[in-house]
């Protein structure tokens, strides 16, 4: 619904940059946030609303990055990810040891899951099901957990025990999800109860992101980008034109 020529990026330690010509050129925005932005996430319902992670805090913009206001969450550790539900006001955020939930657009937060620091389990990834914000998943160094009530409570849906570095839930089916590890990528079609490996054609490497573009799933590794249009049955290499450093 927004202008496809307007693109925001957050280069490492270089702040927030805006393109108004489809990525041909970028200008750095003068904003109230520091240059050390760790995560930028767009609201799935209102594309003008953005959430930025800055160390141990989260801020929100209602005008596509022009102005920002801090939210009511300050973590004791660096926040890794933030997930935005399709239901108004529903947010999840995680650091290495705790998961936080807000149901009022970030004004107030409660801790809904935690682990003992440095005891073996680390929180890595979190996502809502785009089609049903009562369904959410998070990934750890020891597998995944699932929520059926928007993140209020969590349970293990199966026996998967991989070190999850990224995860993504299907746009229209909350039972279909993908998880990525340094050993490859796996798919579940039963809400995380079981997984099958779909790494063939894309290879195994440290995983950076999984994200949907319509029904196309993009998979980013430390030096590789690929996509699938058939739920992981085949993968297309998308590295052409990308600048890679060894």
């Amino acid at each position: 619904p927004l202008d496809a020529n307007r693109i925001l990026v957050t280069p490492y330690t270089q702040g927030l940059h805006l393109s108004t010509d489809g990525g041909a050129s970028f200008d750095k925005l003068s904003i109230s946030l520091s240059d050390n932005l760790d995560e930028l996430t767009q609201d799935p319902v209102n594309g003008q609303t953005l959430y930025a992670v800055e160390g141990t805090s989260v801020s929100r913009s209602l005008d596509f990055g022009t102005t920002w206001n801090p939210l009511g969450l300050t973590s004791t550790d660096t926040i890794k990810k933030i997930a935005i539900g399709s239901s108004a006001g529903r947010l999840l955020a995680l650091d290495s040891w705790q998961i936080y939930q807000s149901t009022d657009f970030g004004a107030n937060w409660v801790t809904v899951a935690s682990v003992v620091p440095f005891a073996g389990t680390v929180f890595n990834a979190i996502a809502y099901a785009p089609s049903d914000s009562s369904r959410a998943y998070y990934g750890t160094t020891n597998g995944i957990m699932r929520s059926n009530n928007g993140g209020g409570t969590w349970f293990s849906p199966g026996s998967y025990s991989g070190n999850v570095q990224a995860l993504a839930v299907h746009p229209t089916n909350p039972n279909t999800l993908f998880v990525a590890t340094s050993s490859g990528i796996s798919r579940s079609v039963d809400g995380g109860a079981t997984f099958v490996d779909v790494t063939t054609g894309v290879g195994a490497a440290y995983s950076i992101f999984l994200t949907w573009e319509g029904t196309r799933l993009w998979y980013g590794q430390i030096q590789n980008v690929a996509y699938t249009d058939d739920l992981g049955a085949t993968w297309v290499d998308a590295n052409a034109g990308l600048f890679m450093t060894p």
Side-chain angles (χ1 to χ4, degrees):
L2 299 179
D3 184 351
N5 287 317
R6 293 174 61 82
I7 302 170
L8 285 170
V9 297
T10 57
Y12 181 63
T13 69
Q14 296 182 50
L16 188 63
H17 296 247
L18 172 68
S19 173
T20 59
D21 52 15
S25 62
F26 284 87
D27 293 311
K28 184 178 181 181
L29 296 181
S30 178
I31 58 176
S32 58
L33 304 181
S34 75
D35 286 348
N36 297 313
L37 300 180
D38 302 305
E39 185 85 0
L40 186 66
T41 306
Q42 188 175 39
D43 190 297
V45 177
N46 182 355
Q48 291 285 354
T49 299
L50 305 172
Y51 294 85
V53 172
E54 183 182 16
T56 59
S57 63
V58 177
S59 295
R60 182 178 66 204
S61 171
L62 301 177
D63 51 18
F64 203 65
T66 302
T67 59
W68 293 87
N69 291 295
L71 300 182
L73 173 64
T74 300
S75 170
T76 57
D77 194 61
T78 299
I79 297 171
K80 293 181 172 181
K81 297 289 181 182
I82 185 166
I84 308 167
S86 56
S87 294
R90 188 168 283 183
L91 306 171
L92 291 167
L94 62 74
D95 59 29
S96 293
W97 324 116
Q98 297 187 89
I99 295 177
Y100 311 92
Q101 180 195 43
S102 174
T103 57
D104 56 7
F105 296 95
N108 298 282
W109 299 79
V110 295
T111 301
V112 291
S114 62
V115 294
V116 177
F118 307 106
T121 298
V122 177
F123 296 141
N124 288 328
I126 195 162
Y128 278 108
S131 61
D132 179 6
S133 61
S134 65
R135 179 71 62 86
Y137 300 87
Y138 72 76
T140 77
T141 49
N142 300 309
I144 69 162
M145 297 288 279
R146 173 176 139 188
S147 174
N148 290 337
N149 60 3
T153 58
W154 300 86
F155 65 95
S156 175
S159 59
Y160 183 81
S161 59
N163 180 357
V164 177
Q165 296 163 345
L167 66 85
V169 189
H170 190 274
T172 61
N173 187 343
N175 287 315
T176 297
L177 69 147
F178 290 77
V179 296
T181 72
S182 58
S183 299
I185 184 167
S186 298
R187 180 189 67 219
S188 174
V189 295
D190 51 16
T194 60
F195 283 86
V196 295
D197 183 271
V198 291
T199 305
T200 302
V202 69
Y206 186 86
S207 300
I208 305 297
F209 67 83
L210 284 167
T211 189
W212 291 95
E213 180 191 12
T215 58
R216 173 171 292 179
L217 179 65
W218 288 88
Y219 177 31
Q221 300 172 324
I222 194 165
Q223 286 188 317
N224 184 53
V225 178
Y227 67 84
T228 177
D229 291 323
D230 52 17
L231 299 181
T234 59
W235 293 89
V236 178
D237 186 292
N239 287 313
L242 295 180
F243 175 73
M244 298 287 184
T245 56

